[in-house]
Structures are given as C-alpha cells and as structure tokens.
Amino acid sequence: MEKTPSYFVTKETPQRISAMSRDTKLIVVVRDPVTRAISDYTQTLSKTPDLPSFQDLAFRNQSLGVVDVSWNAIRIGLYALHLENWLRYFPLAQIHFVSGERLISDPAGELARVQDFLGLKRIVTDKHFYFNRTKGFPCLKKPESSGSPRCLGKSKGRTHVQIDRDAVEQLRDFYRPYNVKFYEMVGHDFKWE
C-alpha cells in the first residue's frame, strides 16, 4: 500500500503503476474542486504569506470568467480529465472514489465502502472515531496500545481564506461540466454545488 496525493494528476503515473502490476486496486479521495482549490491556496498561503490573491492565481481574466487551468490548484480538480488517463491503463472496477466530504461527515461509512472495495472484513466502524471540535474533523480514537488519539496534522483543518462570492460562483460554473462528466464516468453524483 502506498499513498501519494499527486499520483492521480501526474500524467506518467498510470502507465508506471500498470507496468508494475495491472491488478493494483486504486483509491482516490476527491472533494468539491472549488473547495479543494481554496484549501490548496489556504495551505500554500500559510507557508508563503506574500502569495498573490486567490483570484489573481485562479483567473487569467476574472471579468471575462477565464480560469487559469495552468495553476495546479485549479488543474487538480479536473477529475474527469485525470480519470481518462487512468482508464487507459486500469478498468474502472479497480478504482474506488472516496468522497472527501463524506469522509468528514461519515468516516465509518466511507471506510466501510473502502473495506468492501478491497475485499476486507469490515473492522473499522463508528466506534473507532470521535469528532474533534478544534480541528473540525473526525479523528481515530486512541488505540489501547497508544497514549494519544490519531488526528490530522497541524496543517489540516485550518479555516479557509475568504474568497469573493463571484469568484466562487465563476469557478462553480467552470467546473460544472467537468464534474458532470466525472459523475457519469464513475456512476456516482458527488453533488458538488
């Protein structure tokens, strides 16, 4: 098992993984691409305070609604395009998509689906989680062999930067056809609106 966030969006990765093992099962966590881009920007801003504004990076021309797809924070959310590349090397049946939103609202339910996809007995259940109010995320309860619970790192769970409502709506409009295509490809509506 390995986890690398950039695998899904790196063009050469599907071919390399397929060459290692065509039987690999893949799990991809996706979330609303607009929220994901804002989260990406918020995290980068925490490390680079002199970063240009979100709107300056997200748009080539905001008044015309021209989105800059060369900016990584925007490009990553074009899930349908990335999935097309993966489907050249792996059947859809070997790829499971986890809803990032439901991973927060119902972690045990999402992990039950992951366990089913992997053909594992359902061991992780509701009893393994508690909601951390400080983080705003569910965390794993303390295992008996450990002194502390497992929760997201310091860089996770921070409040997002406020983005102009018009910019958010423009991005929703931009992503809508990509989202619809993605829903059709995977047979699941993630309801990103």
Side-chain angles (χ1 to χ4, degrees), residues 2-22 24-28 75 82-90 95:
E2 182 180 345
K3 173 195 91 84
T4 303
S6 63
Y7 276 180
F8 186 61
V9 301
T10 303
K11 188 174 176 143
E12 304 78 25
T13 304
Q15 183 177 13
R16 287 197 316 252
I17 293 175
S18 176
M20 288 189 302
S21 173
R22 296 189 59 78
T24 300
K25 288 189 174 185
L26 305 155
I27 299 170
V28 182
R75 187 180 62 81
H82 304 303
L83 180 56
E84 285 175 346
N85 187 35
W86 281 89
L87 292 176
R88 294 195 327 233
Y89 299 95
F90 293 94
I95 307 173

Side-chain angles (χ1 to χ4, degrees), residues 64-168:
L64 296 176
V66 180
V67 175
D68 188 349
V69 295
S70 70
W71 184 35
N72 213 33
I74 296 294
R75 187 180 62 81
I76 289 171
L78 301 172
Y79 303 131
L81 299 181
H82 304 303
L83 180 56
E84 285 175 346
N85 187 35
W86 281 89
L87 292 176
R88 294 195 327 233
Y89 299 95
F90 293 94
L92 187 60
Q94 284 177 227
I95 307 173
H96 178 74
F97 293 91
V98 173
S99 165
E101 290 82 12
R102 287 190 36 200
L103 194 56
I104 294 168
S105 66
D106 180 20
E110 277 303 292
L111 288 179
R113 285 182 275 286
V114 168
Q115 291 169 98
D116 292 347
F117 169 72
L118 295 174
L120 302 172
K121 181 180 174 188
R122 287 190 179 185
I123 295 174
V124 180
T125 64
D126 280 332
K127 70 179 183 180
H128 293 97
F129 296 95
Y130 75 96
F131 188 79
N132 182 311
R133 290 176 197 206
T134 305
K135 285 280 188 190
F137 285 96
C139 299
L140 286 171
K141 288 183 178 173
K142 179 177 89 170
E144 292 181 24
S145 61
S146 170
S148 61
R150 293 273 306 158
C151 207
L152 295 169
K154 291 178 184 176
S155 69
K156 303 293 183 188
R158 66 170 55 95
T159 302
H160 289 172
V161 173
Q162 284 294 93
I163 305 300
D164 174 71
R165 184 180 297 275
D166 290 339
V168 170

Side-chain angles (χ1 to χ4, degrees), residues 45-72:
L45 186 64
S46 73
K47 299 172 189 171
T48 314
D50 59 339
L51 203 61
S53 75
F54 179 86
Q55 287 91 321
D56 287 346
L57 294 168
F59 296 93
R60 288 181 189 250
N61 184 327
Q62 187 177 355
S63 63
L64 296 176
V66 180
V67 175
D68 188 349
V69 295
S70 70
W71 184 35
N72 213 33

